[in-house]
Amino acid sequence: MRKTQWFDFRNFLHKPSLSSSIKPRTFTAYSFVPFSPFAMLDPTILTLGGIVLGIAIIERILERWGAIDLAGQFEKVMRFILPVTFYGALLYFFATFMF
């Protein structure tokens, strides 16, 4: 039969514990961000972005030179090209990215 230990309530609350009752557990941590920002430096995406940026710069130069009609034609084309290029590059990025 085991010997029973008696503790005074006041001593029980204020007495420091001799051994910790909480044992550390090991766990594996996973990252919720599986990709690096440098993955956006894909040559295909950079090429598409450079082409779109070049067309936008040409449009601004034409406006400054006074060729408003030609700049308007570029603007009409860019209204279609910009969204198509953006969504195409986004789709390409996620299709070729290795998770």
Coordinates of all heavy atoms in Angstrom, one line a residue:
M1 N 0.8 -1.2 0.0 CA 0.0 0.0 0.0 C 0.9 1.2 0.0 O 1.9 1.3 0.7 CB -0.9 0.0 1.3 CG -2.0 0.9 1.2 SD -3.2 0.5 2.4 CE -3.6 2.0 3.0
R2 N 0.5 2.2 -0.8 CA 1.3 3.4 -0.9 C 1.0 4.4 0.3 O -0.1 4.5 0.7 CB 1.0 4.1 -2.2 CG 1.4 3.3 -3.4 CD 1.1 4.0 -4.7 NE 1.9 5.2 -4.8 CZ 1.8 6.1 -5.7 NH1 1.0 5.9 -6.7 NH2 2.6 7.2 -5.7
K3 N 2.1 5.1 0.6 CA 1.9 6.1 1.7 C 1.3 7.4 1.1 O 1.8 7.8 0.0 CB 3.3 6.4 2.2 CG 3.3 7.3 3.4 CD 4.6 7.5 4.0 CE 4.5 8.5 5.1 NZ 5.8 8.8 5.7
T4 N 0.4 7.9 1.7 CA -0.3 9.1 1.2 C 0.4 10.3 1.7 O 0.7 10.4 2.9 CB -1.8 9.1 1.6 OG1 -2.4 7.9 1.2 CG2 -2.5 10.3 1.0
Q5 N 0.6 11.3 0.9 CA 1.2 12.6 1.3 C 0.1 13.6 1.5 O -0.8 13.7 0.6 CB 2.2 13.1 0.3 CG 3.5 12.3 0.3 CD 4.5 13.0 -0.7 OE1 4.1 13.7 -1.6 NE2 5.8 12.8 -0.4
W6 N 0.2 14.4 2.5 CA -0.7 15.4 2.8 C -0.1 16.8 2.6 O 1.1 17.0 3.0 CB -1.3 15.3 4.2 CG -2.1 14.1 4.4 CD1 -1.7 12.9 4.8 CD2 -3.5 14.0 4.1 NE1 -2.8 12.0 4.9 CE2 -3.9 12.7 4.4 CE3 -4.4 14.9 3.6 CZ2 -5.2 12.2 4.2 CZ3 -5.7 14.5 3.5 CH2 -6.1 13.1 3.8
F7 N -0.8 17.7 1.8 CA -0.3 19.0 1.6 C -1.2 20.0 2.2 O -2.5 19.9 2.0 CB -0.1 19.3 0.1 CG 1.0 18.5 -0.5 CD1 0.7 17.4 -1.3 CD2 2.3 18.9 -0.4 CE1 1.7 16.7 -1.9 CE2 3.3 18.2 -1.0 CZ 3.0 17.1 -1.8
D8 N -0.7 21.0 2.8 CA -1.5 22.1 3.2 C -1.9 22.9 1.9 O -1.0 23.1 1.0 CB -0.7 23.0 4.2 CG -1.5 24.1 4.7 OD1 -1.9 24.9 3.9 OD2 -1.7 24.2 6.0
F9 N -3.0 23.4 1.8 CA -3.5 24.1 0.6 C -2.6 25.3 0.4 O -2.2 25.6 -0.8 CB -4.9 24.6 0.8 CG -5.5 25.3 -0.4 CD1 -5.7 24.6 -1.6 CD2 -5.7 26.6 -0.4 CE1 -6.2 25.2 -2.7 CE2 -6.2 27.3 -1.5 CZ -6.4 26.6 -2.7
R10 N -2.3 26.1 1.4 CA -1.4 27.3 1.2 C 0.0 26.9 0.7 O 0.5 27.5 -0.2 CB -1.4 28.1 2.5 CG -0.7 29.4 2.4 CD -0.9 30.2 3.6 NE -2.3 30.6 3.7 CZ -2.9 31.0 4.8 NH1 -2.2 31.1 5.9 NH2 -4.2 31.3 4.8
N11 N 0.5 25.9 1.3 CA 1.9 25.4 0.9 C 1.8 24.8 -0.5 O 2.8 24.9 -1.3 CB 2.4 24.4 1.8 CG 2.8 25.0 3.2 OD1 3.1 26.2 3.2 ND2 2.8 24.2 4.2
F12 N 0.7 24.2 -0.9 CA 0.6 23.6 -2.2 C 0.6 24.7 -3.3 O 1.2 24.5 -4.3 CB -0.7 22.8 -2.3 CG -1.0 22.2 -3.6 CD1 -0.3 21.1 -4.1 CD2 -2.0 22.8 -4.4 CE1 -0.6 20.6 -5.4 CE2 -2.2 22.3 -5.7 CZ -1.5 21.2 -6.2
L13 N -0.1 25.8 -3.1 CA -0.1 26.8 -4.1 C 1.2 27.6 -4.2 O 1.6 28.0 -5.3 CB -1.2 27.8 -3.8 CG -2.6 27.3 -4.0 CD1 -3.7 28.3 -3.7 CD2 -2.8 26.9 -5.5
H14 N 1.9 27.8 -3.1 CA 3.1 28.6 -3.1 C 4.4 27.9 -3.2 O 5.5 28.5 -3.4 CB 3.1 29.5 -1.9 CG 2.0 30.5 -1.9 ND1 1.8 31.5 -2.8 CD2 0.9 30.5 -1.1 CE1 0.7 32.1 -2.5 NE2 0.1 31.6 -1.5
K15 N 4.4 26.6 -3.2 CA 5.6 25.8 -3.2 C 6.0 25.6 -4.7 O 5.2 25.2 -5.5 CB 5.3 24.4 -2.6 CG 6.6 23.5 -2.5 CD 6.2 22.2 -1.8 CE 7.4 21.3 -1.8 NZ 7.1 20.1 -1.2
P16 N 7.2 25.9 -5.0 CA 7.7 25.6 -6.4 C 7.7 24.1 -6.7 O 8.1 23.3 -5.9 CB 9.0 26.2 -6.5 CG 9.5 26.3 -5.1 CD 8.3 26.4 -4.2
S17 N 7.4 23.8 -7.9 CA 7.4 22.4 -8.3 C 8.8 21.9 -8.5 O 9.6 22.5 -9.0 CB 6.6 22.2 -9.6 OG 6.6 20.9 -10.1
L18 N 9.0 20.7 -8.0 CA 10.4 20.1 -8.2 C 10.6 19.6 -9.6 O 11.7 19.6 -10.1 CB 10.5 18.9 -7.2 CG 10.4 19.4 -5.7 CD1 10.5 18.1 -4.8 CD2 11.5 20.4 -5.4
S19 N 9.6 19.0 -10.2 CA 9.7 18.6 -11.6 C 8.6 19.1 -12.4 O 7.5 19.2 -11.9 CB 9.7 17.0 -11.6 OG 8.5 16.5 -11.2
S20 N 8.9 19.4 -13.7 CA 7.9 19.9 -14.6 C 6.9 18.8 -15.0 O 7.3 17.7 -15.4 CB 8.5 20.6 -15.8 OG 7.5 21.0 -16.7
S21 N 5.6 19.1 -15.0 CA 4.7 18.1 -15.4 C 4.4 18.2 -16.9 O 3.8 17.3 -17.5 CB 3.3 18.3 -14.6 OG 2.8 19.6 -14.9
I22 N 4.9 19.3 -17.5 CA 4.7 19.4 -19.0 C 6.0 18.9 -19.7 O 7.1 19.4 -19.4 CB 4.5 20.9 -19.3 CG1 3.2 21.4 -18.6 CG2 4.4 21.0 -20.8 CD1 3.0 22.9 -18.8
K23 N 5.8 18.0 -20.5 CA 7.0 17.4 -21.3 C 7.0 18.0 -22.7 O 5.9 18.0 -23.3 CB 6.9 15.9 -21.3 CG 6.9 15.3 -19.9 CD 7.1 13.8 -19.9 CE 7.1 13.5 -18.6 NZ 7.4 12.6 -17.8
P24 N 8.1 18.5 -23.1 CA 8.2 19.0 -24.5 C 8.0 17.9 -25.5 O 8.4 16.8 -25.4 CB 9.6 19.6 -24.6 CG 10.4 18.9 -23.6 CD 9.4 18.5 -22.5
R25 N 7.2 18.3 -26.5 CA 6.9 17.4 -27.7 C 7.5 18.0 -28.9 O 7.5 19.2 -29.1 CB 5.4 17.3 -27.9 CG 4.7 16.6 -26.7 CD 3.3 16.4 -27.1 NE 2.6 17.7 -27.2 CZ 1.4 17.9 -27.6 NH1 0.7 16.9 -28.0 NH2 0.9 19.1 -27.7
T26 N 8.1 17.1 -29.7 CA 8.7 17.6 -31.0 C 7.5 17.5 -32.0 O 6.7 16.7 -32.0 CB 9.8 16.7 -31.4 OG1 9.3 15.3 -31.6 CG2 10.9 16.7 -30.4
F27 N 7.6 18.5 -32.9 CA 6.6 18.5 -34.0 C 7.3 19.1 -35.3 O 8.3 19.8 -35.2 CB 5.4 19.4 -33.7 CG 5.7 20.8 -33.5 CD1 5.6 21.8 -34.5 CD2 6.2 21.3 -32.2 CE1 5.9 23.1 -34.3 CE2 6.5 22.6 -32.0 CZ 6.3 23.5 -33.1
T28 N 6.7 18.7 -36.4 CA 7.3 19.2 -37.7 C 6.4 20.4 -38.1 O 5.2 20.3 -38.2 CB 7.1 18.1 -38.7 OG1 7.8 16.9 -38.2 CG2 7.8 18.5 -40.0
A29 N 7.1 21.5 -38.5 CA 6.5 22.7 -38.9 C 6.6 22.8 -40.4 O 7.6 22.5 -41.0 CB 7.1 23.9 -38.3
Y30 N 5.5 23.2 -41.1 CA 5.4 23.3 -42.5 C 5.2 24.8 -42.8 O 4.5 25.5 -42.1 CB 4.3 22.5 -43.1 CG 4.5 21.0 -42.9 CD1 3.9 20.3 -41.9 CD2 5.4 20.3 -43.8 CE1 4.1 19.0 -41.7 CE2 5.6 19.0 -43.6 CZ 4.9 18.3 -42.6 OH 5.2 17.0 -42.4
S31 N 5.7 25.2 -43.9 CA 5.6 26.6 -44.4 C 4.3 26.8 -45.2 O 4.0 25.9 -46.0 CB 6.8 27.0 -45.2 OG 6.6 28.3 -45.7
F32 N 3.6 27.8 -45.0 CA 2.4 28.1 -45.8 C 2.7 28.9 -47.1 O 1.9 29.1 -47.9 CB 1.4 28.9 -45.0 CG 0.8 28.1 -43.9 CD1 1.1 28.4 -42.6 CD2 -0.1 27.1 -44.2 CE1 0.5 27.6 -41.5 CE2 -0.7 26.3 -43.1 CZ -0.4 26.6 -41.8
V33 N 4.0 29.3 -47.2 CA 4.4 30.0 -48.4 C 5.4 29.1 -49.1 O 6.6 29.2 -48.8 CB 5.0 31.4 -48.0 CG1 5.4 32.2 -49.3 CG2 4.1 32.2 -47.2
P34 N 5.0 28.3 -50.0 CA 5.9 27.3 -50.6 C 6.8 27.8 -51.7 O 7.6 27.0 -52.2 CB 5.0 26.2 -51.1 CG 3.8 27.0 -51.5 CD 3.7 28.1 -50.5
F35 N 6.7 29.1 -52.1 CA 7.6 29.5 -53.2 C 8.3 30.8 -52.8 O 7.9 31.5 -52.0 CB 6.8 29.7 -54.5 CG 5.7 30.7 -54.4 CD1 5.9 32.0 -54.7 CD2 4.4 30.3 -54.0 CE1 4.9 32.9 -54.6 CE2 3.4 31.2 -53.9 CZ 3.6 32.5 -54.2
S36 N 9.4 31.0 -53.5 CA 10.2 32.2 -53.4 C 9.8 33.3 -54.3 O 9.3 33.0 -55.4 CB 11.7 31.8 -53.7 OG 12.5 32.9 -53.8
P37 N 9.9 34.5 -53.9 CA 9.5 35.6 -54.8 C 10.4 35.7 -56.1 O 10.1 36.2 -57.1 CB 9.7 36.9 -54.0 CG 10.0 36.5 -52.6 CD 10.2 35.0 -52.6
F38 N 11.6 35.1 -56.0 CA 12.5 35.0 -57.1 C 12.0 34.1 -58.2 O 12.5 34.1 -59.3 CB 13.9 34.6 -56.7 CG 14.6 35.6 -55.8 CD1 14.9 35.3 -54.5 CD2 15.0 36.8 -56.3 CE1 15.5 36.2 -53.6 CE2 15.6 37.7 -55.5 CZ 15.8 37.4 -54.1
A39 N 11.0 33.3 -57.9 CA 10.4 32.5 -59.0 C 9.7 33.3 -60.1 O 9.5 32.9 -61.2 CB 9.4 31.5 -58.4
M40 N 9.4 34.6 -59.7 CA 8.7 35.5 -60.7 C 9.7 36.0 -61.8 O 9.4 36.6 -62.8 CB 8.1 36.7 -60.0 CG 6.9 36.3 -59.2 SD 5.5 35.6 -60.1 CE 5.0 37.1 -61.0
L41 N 11.0 35.7 -61.6 CA 12.0 36.1 -62.5 C 12.2 35.1 -63.7 O 13.3 34.9 -64.2 CB 13.4 36.3 -61.8 CG 13.4 37.5 -60.8 CD1 14.7 37.5 -60.1 CD2 13.1 38.8 -61.4
D42 N 11.1 34.5 -64.1 CA 11.1 33.6 -65.2 C 11.3 34.3 -66.5 O 10.7 35.4 -66.7 CB 9.7 32.8 -65.2 CG 9.6 31.8 -66.2 OD1 10.7 31.2 -66.5 OD2 8.5 31.5 -66.7
P43 N 12.2 33.9 -67.4 CA 12.5 34.6 -68.6 C 11.2 34.8 -69.5 O 11.1 35.9 -70.1 CB 13.5 33.7 -69.3 CG 14.1 32.9 -68.3 CD 13.1 32.7 -67.2
T44 N 10.3 33.9 -69.5 CA 9.1 34.0 -70.3 C 8.2 35.2 -69.8 O 7.8 36.0 -70.6 CB 8.3 32.7 -70.4 OG1 9.1 31.7 -70.8 CG2 7.1 32.8 -71.3
I45 N 8.0 35.2 -68.5 CA 7.2 36.3 -67.9 C 7.9 37.6 -68.1 O 7.2 38.6 -68.4 CB 6.9 35.9 -66.4 CG1 6.0 34.7 -66.3 CG2 6.3 37.1 -65.7 CD1 5.7 34.2 -64.9
L46 N 9.2 37.7 -67.9 CA 9.9 38.9 -68.1 C 9.9 39.4 -69.5 O 9.7 40.6 -69.8 CB 11.4 38.8 -67.6 CG 11.6 38.6 -66.1 CD1 13.1 38.4 -65.8 CD2 11.1 39.8 -65.4
T47 N 9.9 38.5 -70.5 CA 9.8 38.9 -71.9 C 8.4 39.4 -72.2 O 8.3 40.5 -72.8 CB 10.1 37.7 -72.8 OG1 11.4 37.1 -72.4 CG2 10.1 38.0 -74.2
L48 N 7.4 38.8 -71.7 CA 6.0 39.3 -72.0 C 5.8 40.6 -71.3 O 5.3 41.6 -71.9 CB 5.0 38.3 -71.4 CG 4.9 37.0 -72.2 CD1 3.9 36.0 -71.5 CD2 4.3 37.2 -73.6
G49 N 6.3 40.8 -70.1 CA 6.2 42.1 -69.4 C 7.0 43.2 -70.1 O 6.5 44.3 -70.2
G50 N 8.2 42.8 -70.6 CA 9.0 43.8 -71.3 C 8.3 44.3 -72.6 O 8.4 45.4 -73.0
I51 N 7.7 43.3 -73.3 CA 7.0 43.7 -74.6 C 5.8 44.6 -74.3 O 5.6 45.7 -75.0 CB 6.5 42.4 -75.3 CG1 7.7 41.7 -75.9 CG2 5.5 42.8 -76.4 CD1 7.4 40.3 -76.4
V52 N 5.0 44.3 -73.3 CA 3.9 45.1 -72.9 C 4.3 46.5 -72.5 O 3.8 47.5 -72.8 CB 3.0 44.4 -71.8 CG1 2.0 45.4 -71.3 CG2 2.3 43.2 -72.4
L53 N 5.4 46.6 -71.6 CA 5.9 47.8 -71.2 C 6.5 48.6 -72.3 O 6.3 49.9 -72.4 CB 7.0 47.6 -70.1 CG 7.6 48.8 -69.4 CD1 6.5 49.5 -68.7 CD2 8.7 48.4 -68.5
G54 N 7.1 48.0 -73.3 CA 7.6 48.7 -74.5 C 6.5 49.3 -75.3 O 6.7 50.5 -75.8
I55 N 5.4 48.6 -75.5 CA 4.3 49.1 -76.2 C 3.7 50.3 -75.5 O 3.3 51.3 -76.1 CB 3.3 48.0 -76.5 CG1 3.8 47.0 -77.5 CG2 2.0 48.6 -77.1 CD1 2.9 45.8 -77.6
A56 N 3.6 50.3 -74.2 CA 3.1 51.4 -73.4 C 4.0 52.6 -73.5 O 3.5 53.7 -73.6 CB 2.9 51.0 -71.9
I57 N 5.3 52.4 -73.5 CA 6.2 53.5 -73.6 C 6.1 54.1 -75.0 O 6.1 55.4 -75.2 CB 7.7 53.1 -73.3 CG1 7.8 52.8 -71.8 CG2 8.7 54.1 -73.7 CD1 9.1 52.1 -71.4
I58 N 6.0 53.3 -76.1 CA 5.8 53.8 -77.4 C 4.6 54.6 -77.5 O 4.5 55.7 -78.2 CB 5.8 52.6 -78.4 CG1 7.2 52.0 -78.5 CG2 5.3 53.1 -79.8 CD1 7.3 50.8 -79.3
E59 N 3.5 54.2 -76.9 CA 2.2 54.9 -76.9 C 2.4 56.3 -76.3 O 1.9 57.3 -76.8 CB 1.2 54.2 -76.1 CG -0.2 54.9 -76.1 CD -1.2 54.1 -75.2 OE1 -0.9 53.0 -74.8 OE2 -2.2 54.8 -74.9
R60 N 3.1 56.4 -75.1 CA 3.3 57.7 -74.5 C 4.2 58.6 -75.3 O 4.0 59.8 -75.4 CB 4.0 57.5 -73.1 CG 3.1 56.8 -72.1 CD 1.9 57.6 -71.8 NE 1.0 56.8 -71.0 CZ -0.3 57.1 -70.9 NH1 -0.8 58.1 -71.6 NH2 -1.1 56.3 -70.2
I61 N 5.2 58.1 -76.0 CA 6.1 58.9 -76.9 C 5.2 59.4 -78.0 O 5.4 60.6 -78.4 CB 7.3 58.0 -77.3 CG1 8.2 57.7 -76.2 CG2 8.0 58.7 -78.5 CD1 9.3 56.8 -76.5
L62 N 4.4 58.6 -78.6 CA 3.5 59.1 -79.7 C 2.6 60.2 -79.3 O 2.3 61.1 -80.0 CB 2.7 57.9 -80.3 CG 3.5 56.9 -81.1 CD1 2.6 55.7 -81.5 CD2 4.1 57.6 -82.4
E63 N 2.1 60.1 -78.0 CA 1.2 61.2 -77.5 C 2.0 62.5 -77.4 O 1.5 63.6 -77.7 CB 0.7 60.8 -76.2 CG -0.5 59.9 -76.2 CD -1.1 59.6 -74.9 OE1 -0.6 60.2 -73.9 OE2 -2.0 58.8 -74.8
R64 N 3.3 62.4 -76.9 CA 4.1 63.6 -76.7 C 4.5 64.2 -78.1 O 4.6 65.4 -78.2 CB 5.4 63.3 -76.0 CG 5.1 63.1 -74.5 CD 6.4 63.0 -73.7 NE 6.1 62.8 -72.3 CZ 7.0 62.6 -71.4 NH1 8.2 62.7 -71.7 NH2 6.6 62.4 -70.2
W65 N 4.7 63.4 -79.1 CA 5.0 63.9 -80.4 C 3.8 64.5 -81.2 O 4.0 65.1 -82.2 CB 5.6 62.8 -81.3 CG 7.0 62.5 -80.8 CD1 7.8 63.1 -80.0 CD2 7.8 61.4 -81.3 NE1 9.0 62.5 -79.8 CE2 9.1 61.4 -80.7 CE3 7.6 60.3 -82.2 CZ2 10.1 60.5 -80.9 CZ3 8.6 59.4 -82.4 CH2 9.8 59.5 -81.8
G66 N 2.6 64.2 -80.6 CA 1.4 64.8 -81.3 C 0.7 63.9 -82.2 O -0.3 64.3 -82.8
A67 N 1.1 62.6 -82.3 CA 0.5 61.6 -83.1 C -0.7 61.0 -82.3 O -0.6 59.8 -82.0 CB 1.4 60.6 -83.7
I68 N -1.7 61.8 -82.1 CA -2.8 61.3 -81.2 C -3.6 60.2 -81.8 O -4.0 59.3 -81.1 CB -3.7 62.5 -80.9 CG1 -2.9 63.7 -80.2 CG2 -4.9 62.1 -80.0 CD1 -2.3 63.3 -78.9
D69 N -3.8 60.2 -83.1 CA -4.5 59.2 -83.8 C -3.8 57.8 -83.7 O -4.5 56.8 -83.4 CB -4.8 59.5 -85.3 CG -5.7 60.7 -85.4 OD1 -6.5 61.0 -84.5 OD2 -5.6 61.4 -86.5
L70 N -2.5 57.8 -83.9 CA -1.7 56.6 -83.8 C -1.7 56.1 -82.4 O -1.8 54.9 -82.1 CB -0.3 56.8 -84.4 CG 0.5 55.6 -84.7 CD1 -0.2 54.6 -85.6 CD2 1.8 56.0 -85.3
A71 N -1.6 57.0 -81.4 CA -1.6 56.7 -80.0 C -2.9 56.1 -79.6 O -3.0 55.2 -78.8 CB -1.2 57.9 -79.1
G72 N -4.0 56.6 -80.2 CA -5.3 56.1 -79.9 C -5.5 54.6 -80.4 O -6.1 53.8 -79.8
Q73 N -4.9 54.3 -81.6 CA -4.9 53.0 -82.1 C -4.1 52.0 -81.1 O -4.6 50.9 -80.9 CB -4.3 52.9 -83.5 CG -5.1 53.7 -84.5 CD -6.5 53.1 -84.7 OE1 -6.7 51.9 -84.6 NE2 -7.5 53.9 -84.9
F74 N -3.0 52.5 -80.7 CA -2.2 51.7 -79.7 C -3.0 51.5 -78.4 O -3.0 50.4 -77.9 CB -0.9 52.4 -79.3 CG 0.3 52.0 -80.2 CD1 0.6 52.8 -81.3 CD2 1.0 50.9 -79.9 CE1 1.7 52.4 -82.1 CE2 2.0 50.5 -80.7 CZ 2.4 51.3 -81.8
E75 N -3.8 52.5 -78.0 CA -4.6 52.3 -76.8 C -5.7 51.3 -77.0 O -5.9 50.5 -76.1 CB -5.2 53.7 -76.4 CG -6.0 53.7 -75.2 CD -6.7 55.0 -74.9 OE1 -6.5 55.9 -75.7 OE2 -7.5 55.0 -74.0
K76 N -6.3 51.3 -78.1 CA -7.3 50.3 -78.4 C -6.8 48.9 -78.4 O -7.4 47.9 -77.9 CB -8.0 50.5 -79.7 CG -8.9 51.8 -79.7 CD -9.5 52.0 -81.1 CE -10.3 53.3 -81.1 NZ -10.8 53.6 -82.5
V77 N -5.6 48.7 -78.9 CA -4.9 47.4 -78.9 C -4.5 47.0 -77.5 O -4.7 45.8 -77.1 CB -3.7 47.4 -79.9 CG1 -2.9 46.1 -79.8 CG2 -4.1 47.6 -81.3
M78 N -4.0 48.0 -76.8 CA -3.6 47.7 -75.4 C -4.7 47.3 -74.5 O -4.5 46.5 -73.5 CB -2.8 48.9 -74.8 CG -1.5 49.1 -75.5 SD -0.3 47.7 -75.3 CE 0.1 47.9 -73.5
R79 N -5.9 47.8 -74.7 CA -7.0 47.4 -73.9 C -7.3 45.9 -74.0 O -7.9 45.4 -73.1 CB -8.3 48.2 -74.3 CG -8.3 49.6 -73.8 CD -9.6 50.2 -74.2 NE -9.6 51.6 -73.8 CZ -10.6 52.5 -74.1 NH1 -11.6 52.1 -74.8 NH2 -10.5 53.7 -73.7
F80 N -7.0 45.4 -75.1 CA -7.2 43.9 -75.3 C -5.9 43.1 -74.8 O -6.0 42.1 -74.2 CB -7.5 43.6 -76.7 CG -7.6 42.1 -77.0 CD1 -8.7 41.4 -76.6 CD2 -6.6 41.5 -77.7 CE1 -8.8 40.0 -76.8 CE2 -6.7 40.1 -78.0 CZ -7.8 39.4 -77.5
I81 N -4.8 43.6 -75.2 CA -3.5 42.9 -75.0 C -3.2 42.8 -73.5 O -2.7 41.8 -73.0 CB -2.3 43.5 -75.8 CG1 -2.5 43.2 -77.3 CG2 -1.0 43.0 -75.3 CD1 -1.5 43.8 -78.1
L82 N -3.3 43.9 -72.7 CA -2.9 43.9 -71.3 C -3.6 42.8 -70.5 O -2.9 42.0 -69.8 CB -3.1 45.3 -70.7 CG -2.0 46.3 -71.0 CD1 -2.4 47.7 -70.4 CD2 -0.7 45.9 -70.5
P83 N -4.9 42.7 -70.5 CA -5.6 41.7 -69.7 C -5.2 40.3 -70.2 O -5.0 39.4 -69.4 CB -7.1 41.9 -69.8 CG -7.2 43.3 -70.3 CD -6.0 43.6 -71.1
V84 N -5.2 40.1 -71.5 CA -4.9 38.8 -72.0 C -3.4 38.4 -71.6 O -3.2 37.2 -71.2 CB -5.0 38.7 -73.6 CG1 -4.5 37.5 -74.2 CG2 -6.5 38.9 -73.9
T85 N -2.5 39.3 -71.7 CA -1.1 39.0 -71.4 C -1.0 38.7 -69.9 O -0.3 37.8 -69.5 CB -0.2 40.2 -71.8 OG1 -0.4 40.5 -73.1 CG2 1.2 39.9 -71.5
F86 N -1.7 39.5 -69.1 CA -1.6 39.3 -67.6 C -2.1 38.0 -67.2 O -1.5 37.2 -66.5 CB -2.3 40.4 -66.9 CG -2.5 40.2 -65.4 CD1 -1.4 40.4 -64.6 CD2 -3.6 39.8 -64.9 CE1 -1.5 40.1 -63.2 CE2 -3.7 39.5 -63.5 CZ -2.6 39.7 -62.7
Y87 N -3.3 37.6 -67.6 CA -3.9 36.3 -67.3 C -3.2 35.2 -67.9 O -3.1 34.1 -67.3 CB -5.4 36.3 -67.6 CG -6.2 37.2 -66.7 CD1 -6.9 38.3 -67.2 CD2 -6.2 37.0 -65.3 CE1 -7.7 39.1 -66.4 CE2 -6.9 37.8 -64.5 CZ -7.7 38.9 -65.0 OH -8.4 39.7 -64.2
G88 N -2.6 35.4 -69.1 CA -1.9 34.3 -69.7 C -0.6 34.1 -68.9 O -0.2 32.9 -68.7
A89 N 0.1 35.1 -68.5 CA 1.4 35.0 -67.8 C 1.1 34.4 -66.4 O 1.8 33.5 -65.9 CB 2.1 36.3 -67.6
L90 N 0.0 34.7 -65.8 CA -0.4 34.2 -64.5 C -0.7 32.7 -64.6 O -0.3 31.9 -63.8 CB -1.6 34.9 -63.9 CG -2.0 34.7 -62.5 CD1 -0.9 35.2 -61.6 CD2 -3.3 35.4 -62.2
L91 N -1.4 32.3 -65.6 CA -1.7 30.9 -65.9 C -0.5 30.1 -66.2 O -0.3 29.0 -65.7 CB -2.7 30.8 -67.1 CG -3.2 29.4 -67.4 CD1 -4.0 28.8 -66.3 CD2 -4.0 29.4 -68.7
Y92 N 0.4 30.7 -67.0 CA 1.7 30.1 -67.3 C 2.5 29.9 -66.0 O 3.1 28.8 -65.8 CB 2.5 30.9 -68.3 CG 3.9 30.4 -68.5 CD1 4.2 29.3 -69.4 CD2 5.0 31.0 -67.9 CE1 5.5 28.9 -69.5 CE2 6.3 30.6 -68.0 CZ 6.5 29.5 -68.9 OH 7.8 29.1 -69.0
F93 N 2.6 30.9 -65.2 CA 3.4 30.8 -64.0 C 2.9 29.6 -63.1 O 3.7 28.8 -62.6 CB 3.3 32.1 -63.2 CG 4.0 32.1 -61.9 CD1 5.3 32.0 -61.8 CD2 3.2 32.1 -60.7 CE1 6.0 32.0 -60.5 CE2 3.8 32.0 -59.5 CZ 5.2 32.0 -59.4
F94 N 1.6 29.5 -62.9 CA 1.1 28.5 -62.0 C 1.1 27.1 -62.7 O 1.1 26.1 -62.0 CB -0.4 28.8 -61.5 CG -0.3 29.9 -60.4 CD1 -1.0 31.1 -60.6 CD2 0.3 29.6 -59.2 CE1 -0.9 32.1 -59.7 CE2 0.3 30.6 -58.2 CZ -0.3 31.8 -58.4
A95 N 1.0 27.1 -64.0 CA 1.1 25.8 -64.7 C 2.5 25.2 -64.7 O 2.7 24.0 -64.6 CB 0.6 26.0 -66.1
T96 N 3.5 26.0 -64.7 CA 4.9 25.5 -64.8 C 5.6 25.5 -63.4 O 6.7 25.0 -63.3 CB 5.7 26.4 -65.7 OG1 5.8 27.8 -65.3 CG2 5.2 26.3 -67.1
F97 N 5.0 26.1 -62.4 CA 5.6 26.2 -61.1 C 5.5 24.8 -60.4 O 4.5 24.2 -60.4 CB 4.9 27.2 -60.2 CG 5.6 27.4 -58.9 CD1 6.8 28.0 -58.8 CD2 4.9 27.1 -57.8 CE1 7.4 28.2 -57.6 CE2 5.5 27.2 -56.5 CZ 6.8 27.8 -56.4
M98 N 6.6 24.4 -59.8 CA 6.7 23.1 -59.1 C 6.3 23.3 -57.6 O 7.1 24.0 -56.9 CB 8.1 22.5 -59.2 CG 8.5 22.3 -60.6 SD 7.4 21.1 -61.5 CE 8.0 19.6 -60.8
F99 N 5.2 22.8 -57.2 CA 4.9 23.0 -55.7 C 5.6 22.0 -54.9 O 5.8 20.9 -55.2 CB 3.4 22.9 -55.6 CG 2.6 24.1 -56.0 CD1 2.1 24.2 -57.2 CD2 2.5 25.2 -55.1 CE1 1.4 25.3 -57.6 CE2 1.9 26.3 -55.5 CZ 1.3 26.4 -56.8

